[in-house]
Amino acid sequence: ATFKKARRLKKNTNVNTPCAFLQLSINAFDYNCHVDLIKLLRQEGKLHRLRKARQKMSELFPLTEEIWLDWLKDEIRLTEDESDREKVYELFERAVKDYVCPEIWLEYVQYSIGGMGAQGGIERVRSIFERALTAVGLHMTKGASIWEAYREFEIVILSTLVSEPPKLAEYQAYIDFEMKEGDPARVQIIFERALAENCLVPDLWIKYTTYLDRQLKIKDLVLSAHERAVRNCPWTMGLWKSYLLALERHGADHQTVTDVFEKALNAGFIQATDYVEIWQSFLDYLRRRVDFKWSRELDELRAAFARSLDYLKQDVEERFSESGDLSCTIMQIWARIEALHCKNMQKARELWDSIMTKGNAKHANMWLEYYNLERSYGDASHCRKALHRAVQCTSDYPEHVCDVLLNFERVEGSLEDWDAAVQKTETKINRVKEQRVAEKEALQARQEEEKAEHRRKAKADKKGQKKSQKVNRTGDKRKADDEYEQEWGEDAELPSKRLRGEDDFGSTATEELMETESGLFGRRAPPRKTEPPGFRKNQRGSSEAPQQPQDVSKEQRIDENCVFVSNLAFNLDDPEGKLRALFQGCGTVQQVRPVFSMNGVFRGYCYVQFEDRLAVPEALKLDRKEVDGRPMYVSPCVDKNKNPDFKVFKYKTAMEKHKIFISGLPYTCTKETLEDLCKQHGTVKAIRLVTNRSGKPKGLAYVEYENEAQASQAVLKMDGSMLENFTLSVAISNPPSRMMEDKGVPSRLLGAAMPRQPQGARGKGRTQISLLPRSLYRQSTPDAKAENGTVSAPHTTETDGSLSNEDFARMLLKK
C-alpha cells in the first residue's frame, strides 16, 4: 500500500517518500534527500513525521531561510496555549543562530508582539527588537523593515499610555514607566510635557526637581527647573527649601541665596511650621559658611538666629496665633552651636533658660537634652543643678528623670549629694503617685457614668424597637401566613397552627419548640404524635429524657453541598440576598436559608446550599470575611445528632505574641482612629473591633502587628495611655482556654446544659399554686434596737421543711 501511494505521488515529484526514507537509512548525510523528504511530508500533511524530519535535518545541517520560515509558520499555526508559545520562542532562537536572515528576525519580532499582553511581555518584545537591530539593522535592503516595525510598536505603546487630552494620572504612569527605563532625555521630555498641562501640581514639580538633583545634576537645567517650580507653586515650602539647597549645591553666590530666601518669606505659606522649616534651611546654609576663626560670618549667623526668633514671635504668631516651633528647635540648634563651635556655655545656658520658660519645663525630654549638653560641654555642678530642677518641674515622665539623677550621683556625687538626691526623688515619686491615683479614680468615675448612660440609651432603643415590632406583628401575621401557603402549598401547616397544641382540658397553650443546629426557618415541622389522655400527668412524677431536637429542614438539606454561616448581625438587612451575592462566586447557589426566631427576628446564622459539592471548599475560604463590620464564620454543615463530637470552630488558646488586646476603648472609637493610634509603633496588619451581636461596640479590640517586637513596643507605649478621656489597657493577646469539660463551668452554663424538666400543657412541669402556708414565707426580722441594747426577736420557725407537728399546731392556734 505504501508503494502504491508513492507511485501516485510520483506524478508530481521526482522522489517518493519510501525511497527517501530508504536513501536516508543508507546515507543520513544526503542533504538533497532530506529536503525532498520534508517537501513530500508537507504535501501529505503528516505534521508529526514532518516535525521529526525537520528536527533530524536541523541536527545534521543548518537550515535555509525557506525551510526555517516554513517550519516556523507551521508551528505558529499549531500554537494553542502559553506553553506552546515558549516552544515557538525556542525554535526562533535556533533559527536565528543558523544564518543572519532579516526575514526570520522580522517574523520573530512580529510573533513576539502577539505575546506583549503577558507578564513582562513588553520588555520581552523590546529585547527582541534590540537584538534584531543589532543583527540585521544595517542590512542594506531589508534592515529598514525592522526599524519600521520597532517604530510602529512604540507608537502603539504610546497610544495606550496617553489619552486625549492627557490627564495627571496617565502622565504619572508614563513617567514611572520611563524612569524605570532610565533614559534621561525621555524622562525629561515627559516631565516637561506633564508640567505644561499640570503646572499647579506641587508634587509633580517636587518629583521633577528631585530627579534632576539626583540624576542629571546639570546646573543650568536644575536651577531653571527650581525657579519655575517656585514661580508656579510659591505656597509650597518644600519647593523653596529644595531651591535653596540646589543653589548652595551648585555654588551660587551668597547674595543670590539670600534673595531667594527673602522671596520665600513673602510667599505666603499655609502653616506656621512651614516658616520654621524654611528658617532652619537658611540657618543651616549660614552655619556651613561660617569659618569660626573669623567673626564676620559668625556675627551674621547670630544675627540671623536672633532675627528668626523675632520673626516667629511677631509675624508668624500674629498670623497663625502660634509660632510653629513649640519645642524651640531653632533655639536648641543655636545653643548647641554656641557650646560646640564657640565654646560659649554661658550663652547656651541663657538660651536653654529661655526655652524652659516657654512651657517646656514640664517635659522630661527637654531637661534631658539640656543635661546632655551640660554633660558634653559643661561641668558637673551645672549637670546636678539641671537634674534637680528637672525632678522638681517634670510632670510627664518624672521616674525617668529621677533615675538619671540617681545614676549621676552614683558616678559623680558625694554621700551628701546622694542623700539629697534620694530624698528629692522619693518626695517627687510619692507626690506623683498620689496625683495619678486621684486622676485615675476621677477618670474611672467619668467612664462609669458614660457607660451607664450608654447602657440606658441602648436599653431605651431596644425597648422602642421591640415595641415597634410588636405593633407591626399583628398586621404582618396574615401576610406572612399567606406567603407561607404560597411557598409550601395549601396543605402546609402554618407556623401559628404548628406552635399551638391542645392540652388535656381542651385549652390551647404555646408549646416550646427546641431549636436544633438547623434552627427555625419558618418551615413546616414534622407532625407530632397524638398523646393519650393523662400521658403528661403520668410523666410528671418521673424523670423524662430531654426532648430530641427536630431538624425542621432535614428533608431539604444536603450536608455535603451545604455550609453553615454564623456570627452575622441580628439587624442584617436582607440576609438571604446578601449571602447569595456573597457566595455566588463559589458556585451555583441553590438555596439560602436564614434562621429566624419564633418572633420573626433574624438569629444571626443561616445555611447556604450549593448545587455542586465542589463549591463547598471555595465557600469555606470566605471564613472570617467581614459582613457589615462583623467577621462571618463559615464552617462545614454537619448533623450533630449523628456526629456529636464534631468541632467546627477552633479557638486559639496559645499566646499570640504578634497581636495585642486593647480594653477600655470609648464606644465612639472607629477603626481608623485606632489604626492612627497603633501605627505609630509598627506596621498594622489587621484591626478587629469587638462588637455584640447587634453590631454595637464593646470597648475592646484586637490589633495584629507584623512581628512580636512591634507588638511588645505597642504594649509598652500604649498601656495606660489616654484616648478621649478613657484609660486604655493594652496586653499581648492570650485567649483563654475553651476546654469547659475539664474545668469548672459557671452555674449559668451548667444550668443551660442540663435537660429540661417535663413540661405540662401550660408551659411548666409543676403547678403554679403554692401549697406552703403563708406563715412559712415570713422573713425573720432583724434584731430591734433598744435604748440600752438589743431586744430578742420573737421565736420564728425555720422554713427548711423540717417542721414538727407541734410547730404546725402552734401556728394554727395563732390563727
Side-chain angles (χ1 to χ4, degrees):
T2 304
F3 280 100
K4 288 180 181 179
K5 189 174 182 180
R7 282 196 297 268
R8 288 196 301 268
L9 293 173
K10 193 172 182 180
K11 298 177 181 179
N12 299 323
T13 58
N14 295 326
V15 182
N16 55 47
T17 305
C19 293
F21 276 114
L22 182 61
Q23 184 67 24
L24 289 177
S25 65
I26 298 173
N27 183 11
F29 289 91
D30 190 340
Y31 184 87
N32 293 329
C33 190
H34 278 285
V35 175
D36 294 337
L37 178 60
I38 290 173
K39 290 181 179 179
L40 289 172
L41 292 175
R42 197 162 189 264
Q43 291 175 0
E44 295 177 3
K46 298 179 178 180
L47 298 178
H48 182 67
R49 298 175 66 184
L50 176 60
R51 183 180 293 165
K52 287 186 177 181
R54 286 167 170 168
Q55 181 70 25
K56 185 66 175 178
M57 184 178 180
S58 176
E59 294 175 357
L60 299 176
F61 305 101
L63 304 185
T64 62
E65 180 179 347
E66 179 184 0
I67 297 176
W68 271 120
L69 288 175
D70 291 340
W71 190 1
L72 291 168
K73 291 177 181 178
D74 290 340
E75 295 293 343
I76 290 173
R77 284 196 296 268
L78 299 175
T79 303
E80 294 182 355
D81 53 20
E82 192 62 29
S83 61
D84 293 336
R85 291 189 63 87
E86 291 299 326
K87 293 180 182 179
V88 176
Y89 279 122
E90 295 176 1
L91 196 61
F92 268 114
E93 291 295 332
R94 291 173 56 187
V96 297
K97 291 179 181 178
D98 281 357
Y99 297 104
V100 179
C101 301
E103 293 294 338
I104 295 178
W105 275 109
L106 184 60
E107 189 71 25
Y108 192 6
V109 295
Q110 289 176 348
Y111 179 75
S112 64
I113 290 175
M116 62 181 294
Q119 185 176 4
I122 296 179
E123 290 78 6
R124 189 171 195 172
V125 175
R126 280 205 173 100
S127 175
I128 295 174
F129 263 117
E130 296 293 339
R131 292 172 56 198
L133 291 175
T134 303
V136 296
L138 298 179
H139 195 283
M140 183 62 67
T141 58
K142 298 181 180 180
S145 60
I146 303 295
W147 288 100
E148 184 67 19
Y150 199 2
R151 185 177 68 85
E152 293 294 334
F153 170 74
E154 291 295 342
I155 290 176
V156 173
I157 296 298
L158 180 62
S159 65
T160 59
L161 292 177
V162 181
S163 63
E164 291 293 340
K167 299 179 181 178
L168 178 61
E170 295 166 347
Y171 272 124
Q172 291 281 12
Y174 196 5
I175 289 170
D176 294 340
F177 172 77
E178 291 295 348
M179 290 182 70
K180 289 180 181 179
E181 293 297 319
D183 188 343
R186 296 173 67 168
V187 173
Q188 181 189 357
I189 193 62
I190 189 58
F191 264 119
E192 293 293 346
R193 285 180 56 192
L195 289 169
E197 300 181 17
N198 302 275
C199 59
L200 300 181
V201 180
D203 292 339
L204 193 58
W205 282 108
I206 292 174
K207 192 172 184 178
Y208 183 33
T209 54
T210 302
Y211 175 79
L212 295 177
D213 288 335
R214 297 177 181 178
Q215 300 297 328
L216 293 185
K217 302 179 181 180
I218 302 174
K219 179 179 179 181
D220 295 337
L221 184 61
V222 171
L223 296 183
S224 174
H226 279 287
E227 183 183 6
R228 288 185 292 136
V230 296
R231 290 177 63 188
N232 282 279
C233 304
W235 62 87
T236 306
M237 184 276 304
L239 293 175
W240 289 100
K241 184 177 179 180
S242 300
Y243 192 9
L244 292 175
L245 292 173
L247 288 171
E248 182 182 3
R249 191 178 295 117
H250 291 281
D253 60 273
H254 177 61
Q255 188 60 42
T256 302
V257 178
T258 304
D259 292 342
V260 171
F261 170 70
E262 295 296 336
K263 291 180 180 178
L265 289 181
N266 297 323
F269 300 140
I270 59 177
Q271 294 180 353
T273 54
D274 292 341
Y275 287 95
V276 177
E277 288 193 43
I278 199 66
W279 267 110
Q280 286 180 345
S281 299
F282 184 62
L283 293 171
D284 292 343
Y285 159 74
L286 294 178
R287 197 270 307 163
R288 289 190 286 266
R289 291 182 66 249
V290 173
D291 183 0
F292 289 95
K293 297 180 181 179
W294 304 92
S295 61
R296 185 171 62 85
E297 291 85 358
L298 180 59
D299 293 340
E300 184 180 1
L301 176 62
R302 285 172 173 167
F305 269 111
R307 182 193 168 195
S308 67
L309 298 178
D310 293 338
Y311 186 89
L312 295 177
K313 183 178 180 180
Q314 298 176 3
D315 297 45
V316 177
E317 284 189 4
E318 181 180 352
R319 180 179 175 184
F320 297 98
S321 300
E322 60 168 335
S323 66
D325 191 11
L326 299 178
S327 58
C328 300
T329 306
I330 293 179
M331 295 182 70
Q332 291 186 44
I333 296 173
W334 190 3
R336 294 191 188 97
I337 291 175
E338 292 288 349
L340 174 63
H341 297 288
C342 304
K343 312 300 180 185
N344 188 356
M345 282 301 300
Q346 183 62 31
K347 180 64 175 178
R349 294 184 182 113
E350 292 177 0
L351 290 171
W352 270 102
D353 287 340
S354 179
I355 290 172
M356 293 304 180
T357 57
K358 294 183 180 298
N360 293 301
K362 60 183 179 180
H363 301 303
N365 64 319
M366 300 298 292
W367 283 108
L368 294 180
E369 285 287 339
Y370 180 33
Y371 164 73
N372 291 330
L373 185 70
E374 288 287 355
R375 192 72 171 164
S376 301
Y377 310 107
D379 51 45
S381 175
H382 284 88
C383 288
R384 181 177 292 107
K385 183 178 178 181
L387 290 176
H388 276 274
R389 292 175 61 191
V391 171
Q392 181 178 356
C393 301
T394 300
S395 60
D396 52 357
Y397 297 104
E399 296 90 349
H400 188 32
V401 176
C402 293
D403 291 340
V404 174
L405 174 59
L406 294 177
N407 290 330
F408 173 78
E409 296 297 354
R410 284 191 178 96
V411 178
E412 300 283 346
S414 62
L415 179 60
E416 291 78 7
D417 296 331
W418 170 260
D419 291 338
V422 170
Q423 183 178 358
K424 195 176 190 67
T425 55
E426 287 180 351
T427 303
K428 178 67 175 181
I429 295 299
N430 292 333
R431 186 165 62 249
V432 168
K433 287 182 178 179
E434 294 175 357
Q435 182 179 359
R436 289 178 178 174
V437 169
E439 292 176 354
K440 186 175 182 180
E441 291 177 352
L443 179 60
Q444 288 178 349
R446 289 198 301 271
Q447 290 180 354
E448 289 297 330
E449 292 179 0
E450 293 178 1
K451 290 182 179 179
E453 181 65 23
H454 181 78
R455 287 193 295 267
R456 284 195 295 269
K457 290 182 179 180
K459 188 175 181 180
D461 295 341
K462 188 175 181 181
K463 186 176 181 180
Q465 184 179 4
K466 287 185 176 180
K467 186 176 181 181
S468 62
Q469 290 178 355
K470 186 175 181 181
V471 172
N472 297 331
R473 195 174 302 148
T474 304
D476 294 343
K477 182 178 180 182
R478 173 60 58 187
K479 181 180 178 181
D481 291 347
D482 295 341
E483 293 177 353
Y484 189 91
E485 290 180 354
Q486 293 174 3
E487 182 177 0
W488 297 99
E490 297 179 357
D491 297 334
E493 184 181 5
L494 293 178
S496 58
K497 298 178 182 178
R498 175 170 56 86
L499 297 178
R500 291 198 302 268
E502 298 289 332
D503 62 9
D504 298 340
F505 302 96
S507 61
T508 60
T510 301
E511 288 283 324
E512 179 183 2
L513 182 64
M514 298 184 65
E515 294 181 10
T516 66
E517 182 191 2
S518 301
L520 297 177
F521 299 101
R523 303 295 195 260
R524 181 176 183 270
R528 291 180 299 180
K529 297 180 180 179
T530 306
E531 299 172 353
F535 173 78
R536 296 184 181 276
K537 182 177 180 180
N538 296 333
Q539 293 294 327
R540 288 172 185 168
S542 62
S543 59
E544 183 182 354
Q547 181 181 354
Q548 294 297 326
Q550 301 172 356
D551 194 341
V552 297
S553 64
K554 184 64 179 176
E555 67 279 0
Q556 303 176 24
R557 195 181 79 199
I558 303 176
D559 289 346
E560 294 79 1
N561 298 5
C562 192
V563 294
F564 178 64
V565 184
S566 59
N567 202 49
L568 300 172
F570 285 170
N571 56 357
L572 183 66
D573 295 333
D574 188 16
E576 182 174 355
K578 284 191 176 181
L579 292 177
R580 182 179 292 275
L582 188 62
F583 286 95
Q584 194 67 42
C586 304
T588 304
V589 178
Q590 186 180 25
Q591 190 180 19
V592 177
R593 299 194 299 275
V595 182
F596 296 91
S597 67
M598 291 185 295
N599 296 330
V601 180
F602 180 49
R603 298 298 302 274
Y605 55 93
C606 68
Y607 290 81
V608 180
Q609 184 163 315
F610 300 92
E611 290 186 357
D612 190 356
R613 68 180 61 185
L614 297 178
V616 173
E618 296 298 325
L620 294 176
K621 295 179 182 179
L622 298 180
D623 185 38
R624 307 303 177 89
K625 181 179 178 63
E626 284 196 3
V627 178
D628 285 5
R630 292 181 61 83
M632 171 182 66
Y633 299 156
V634 184
S635 56
C637 185
V638 177
D639 189 352
K640 292 187 178 180
N641 293 330
K642 299 179 180 178
N643 300 276
D645 298 330
F646 180 77
K647 302 295 183 182
V648 174
F649 188 75
K650 302 294 184 182
Y651 291 93
K652 288 187 176 180
T653 58
M655 178 178 291
E656 301 172 287
K657 297 184 178 180
H658 64 292
K659 290 183 182 180
I660 62 173
F661 174 70
I662 305 176
S663 59
L665 289 169
Y667 295 119
T668 57
C669 179
T670 62
K671 195 172 184 179
E672 291 75 14
T673 303
L674 187 58
E675 183 177 4
D676 292 339
L677 180 64
C678 296
K679 70 181 181 181
Q680 302 175 9
H681 313 294
T683 303
V684 177
K685 296 182 64 178
I687 292 179
R688 181 169 69 88
L689 293 174
V690 181
T691 60
N692 57 23
R693 298 302 298 270
S694 61
K696 296 182 180 180
K698 299 174 69 175
L700 310 174
Y702 289 90
V703 180
E704 180 180 358
Y705 281 95
E706 194 172 36
N707 51 49
E708 300 177 8
Q710 295 178 359
S712 300
Q713 184 71 11
V715 172
L716 292 175
K717 297 294 185 181
M718 295 175 60
D719 188 34
S721 61
M722 303 290 295
L723 179 62
E724 300 179 8
N725 295 328
F726 281 75
T727 302
L728 305 183
S729 297
V730 185
I732 296 295
S733 176
N734 189 12
S737 176
R738 305 290 179 177
M739 298 182 64
M740 308 291 287
E741 63 273 8
D742 296 337
K743 299 181 180 180
V745 184
S747 59
R748 181 176 64 85
L749 297 179
L750 287 174
M754 292 176 64
R756 299 176 183 267
Q757 296 294 331
Q759 297 184 359
R762 298 187 181 276
K764 291 187 178 181
R766 57 177 64 89
T767 178
Q768 301 294 315
I769 303 175
S770 176
L771 300 178
L772 197 65
R774 288 194 181 96
S775 299
L776 300 182
Y777 284 111
R778 294 179 181 177
Q779 302 294 331
S780 58
T781 58
D783 295 339
K785 293 289 184 179
E787 183 178 355
N788 296 323
T790 59
V791 180
S792 300
H795 177 73
T796 59
T797 306
E798 298 280 334
T799 61
D800 57 356
S802 59
L803 299 176
S804 63
N805 293 335
E806 295 180 359
D807 295 329
F808 278 106
R810 186 164 47 252
M811 287 187 291
L812 291 174
L813 290 177
K814 284 184 180 181
K815 295 295 182 180

